[in-house]
Amino acid sequence: MDKNNFKLEEAYGDVNLSMLADFTLTNGISGHEREIAEVYRNWTEDAADDISYDNLGSIIAHKEGVANGPKIMFAGHIDEIGFLVKSIDANGFIRLHPVGGWWPHVLLSQPVTVTTRKGAAYVGVIGSKAPHGMPVAVRNKVMELKDLYVDMGVNSKEELEYLGVQVGDAITPKADFHVLANPNYLMSKAWDNRIGAAISAEVIRQLKEEKTDAHIYSVGTVQEEVGLRGAKTAAQKINPDIAVTIDTTIAQDTPGEDNRIKLGVGVTLEVMDASYIGHKGLLYYLQDLSDELGIDYQFELLAAGGTDSGEIHKVHDGVITLSISIPTRYIHSHYGIIHRKDYVDTVKLLTEFSKRVDASVLEDLQNYKR
């Protein structure tokens, strides 16, 4: 390598960093998505013909197609993992009830935000012991979630109650948005799954001046992390013909991993996960379209874990469904890392797909299973 001529990669594609930061930094754990749904609305309402909600709070931005045209649902869940206030002891320390899956190893000494019923937000930190003099057996043990607590910097339970903090209040990871040394790598909280929600929003934004046969429904679903709940109710409301779920997946390109799923490839087509088997006709259509557009892709199979596709594909008499993944390092922690190319290429593919779907494409996809 000639070090004199070496330089970092230039940033890939046109990425609205303000939108991505708005999506990731807004707090919204499962069951508390009202604020992030408003962000979703702000970024889609100029491109949509109408905005609606289901009764769980999933937000649906709809772009009209032709009369009786196919209905395409792009789903990205807007909830993130976090905690609820489980209890407050006499000294004002908060015990945690998990919302979504956590490995306690990633939590010690990390900042969080506690949001009260009235919307006031207070910063605290998850307490940790100093290692000095700590027995080896204790130091090498991963603490259980039940033993963790939030230190809000108060003297008593009464002080927290005065601030309006009560059992059931949301506790959200606190982080910042970073463009890393190589500008293609972006780091923030809640990429799982604000990046999927941002892609579903960006597709309808890209279609603002386009006429499509298909009706486009860009959806920010709620409560995915606790059981794919919003996907079910939103899909019942829309009754789509075709659905594409966009979610994160575990990147396997870090030390100790097998390098199968990597950041920066392009599009990741999910063959199946524990919640569904992808529709092969749709999978092959998007694979061929990627080839035509010159978009790189990789395939993914997951033995564990699921996405909104798990509920969407079972709605009414069945929905032609596929998941597309965005590889992400360090998901379900305070910080994840994604790559711009995966975002840009996925938006490009799904935008072009939206332009091409008409009655004949839908019929071909339906006939694939018949």
Side-chain angles (χ1 to χ4, degrees):
M1 179 188 297
D2 184 353
K3 293 184 178 179
N4 293 322
N5 293 323
F6 182 81
K7 62 179 181 180
L8 291 173
E9 295 175 353
E10 295 181 358
Y12 183 87
D14 184 16
V15 176
N16 189 329
L17 295 178
S18 294
M19 185 176 95
L20 293 187
D22 202 8
F23 268 72
T24 61
L25 298 183
T26 300
N27 292 336
I29 69 169
S30 306
H32 297 74
E33 299 97 344
R34 185 173 180 177
E35 186 178 354
I36 181 59
E38 186 65 22
V39 169
Y40 196 98
R41 181 184 187 112
N42 290 341
W43 284 103
T44 58
E45 59 186 352
D46 286 345
D49 292 306
D50 60 86
I51 303 283
S52 63
Y53 299 82
D54 70 14
N55 288 329
L56 290 188
S58 295
I59 180 169
I60 303 166
H62 173 218
K63 176 181 172 60
E64 289 278 355
V66 300
N68 300 315
K71 294 190 287 186
I72 305 175
M73 176 181 181
F74 295 115
H77 72 84
I78 55 176
D79 58 315
E80 62 183 304
I81 63 170
F83 305 93
L84 300 177
V85 174
K86 183 177 182 179
S87 63
I88 306 170
D89 72 15
N91 295 316
F93 294 106
I94 294 173
R95 295 292 180 176
L96 303 164
H97 181 85
V99 177
W102 283 101
W103 185 38
H105 218 133
V106 303
L107 288 170
L108 297 176
S109 295
Q110 294 295 328
V112 294
T113 302
V114 178
T115 305
T116 70
R117 174 181 175 178
K118 294 184 177 180
Y122 301 103
V123 176
V125 66
I126 297 177
S128 64
K129 296 179 180 179
H132 306 72
M134 185 181 293
V136 173
V138 175
R139 188 168 64 243
N140 291 341
K141 180 183 178 183
V142 178
M143 293 184 67
E144 295 184 53
L145 194 57
K146 66 181 180 62
D147 297 321
L148 302 185
Y149 59 87
V150 176
D151 185 341
M152 297 295 294
V154 298
N155 290 319
S156 65
K157 180 177 182 179
E158 287 73 24
E159 287 190 0
L160 279 187
E161 290 174 341
Y162 173 80
L163 295 173
V165 177
Q166 65 182 27
V167 170
D169 284 345
I171 303 174
T172 313
K174 180 175 173 57
D176 299 311
F177 186 94
H178 299 276
V179 178
L180 298 180
N182 177 327
N184 286 302
Y185 292 85
L186 306 176
M187 183 170 76
S188 190
K189 78 171 180 69
W191 287 126
D192 182 12
N193 179 38
R194 302 293 168 68
I195 189 59
I199 289 169
S200 70
E202 184 60 24
V203 169
I204 201 170
R205 284 163 48 83
Q206 293 286 326
L207 295 169
K208 180 178 180 181
E209 304 300 330
E210 301 286 341
K211 299 292 186 181
T212 62
D213 277 21
H215 294 265
I216 308 301
Y217 296 86
S218 288
V219 185
T221 62
V222 299
Q223 297 190 43
E224 188 271 353
E225 295 289 358
V226 291
L228 318 180
R229 298 169 186 172
K232 183 173 185 177
T233 53
Q236 288 282 353
K237 181 179 176 69
I238 296 166
N239 192 17
D241 298 299
I242 301 169
V244 178
T245 293
I246 312 104
D247 207 334
T248 57
T249 192
I250 300 168
Q252 297 167 328
D253 56 359
T254 54
E257 298 290 346
D258 59 18
N259 214 39
R260 283 183 298 122
I261 301 297
K262 298 181 286 188
L263 269 65
V265 169
V267 171
T268 300
L269 300 169
E270 187 183 82
V271 177
M272 67 170 292
D273 61 33
S275 68
Y276 92 120
I277 298 172
H279 187 282
K280 284 299 181 68
L282 181 55
L283 174 72
Y284 297 148
Y285 187 98
L286 291 175
Q287 179 187 3
D288 292 345
L289 183 55
S290 295
D291 285 332
E292 180 184 335
L293 298 174
I295 293 174
D296 298 320
Y297 53 86
Q298 58 190 338
F299 294 108
E300 174 189 38
L301 295 91
L302 287 178
T307 65
D308 277 342
S309 291
E311 287 296 336
I312 294 172
H313 80 288
K314 297 182 290 187
V315 163
H316 295 291
D317 58 345
V319 179
I320 296 166
T321 304
L322 190 77
S323 288
I324 290 183
S325 302
I326 302 298
T328 307
R329 295 175 183 165
Y330 323 124
I331 61 172
H332 285 220
S333 72
H334 274 61
Y335 279 104
I337 296 176
I338 66 165
H339 196 284
R340 292 186 197 227
K341 187 175 191 298
D342 303 325
Y343 172 81
V344 171
D345 285 357
T346 302
V347 170
K348 181 180 178 181
L349 176 64
L350 296 182
T351 301
E352 184 61 27
F353 175 67
S354 300
K355 296 176 184 178
R356 298 197 183 194
V357 172
D358 57 16
S360 64
V361 171
L362 176 59
E363 184 178 9
D364 288 344
L365 293 175
Q366 290 171 332
N367 286 337
Y368 186 87
K369 290 286 188 178
R370 295 171 182 169

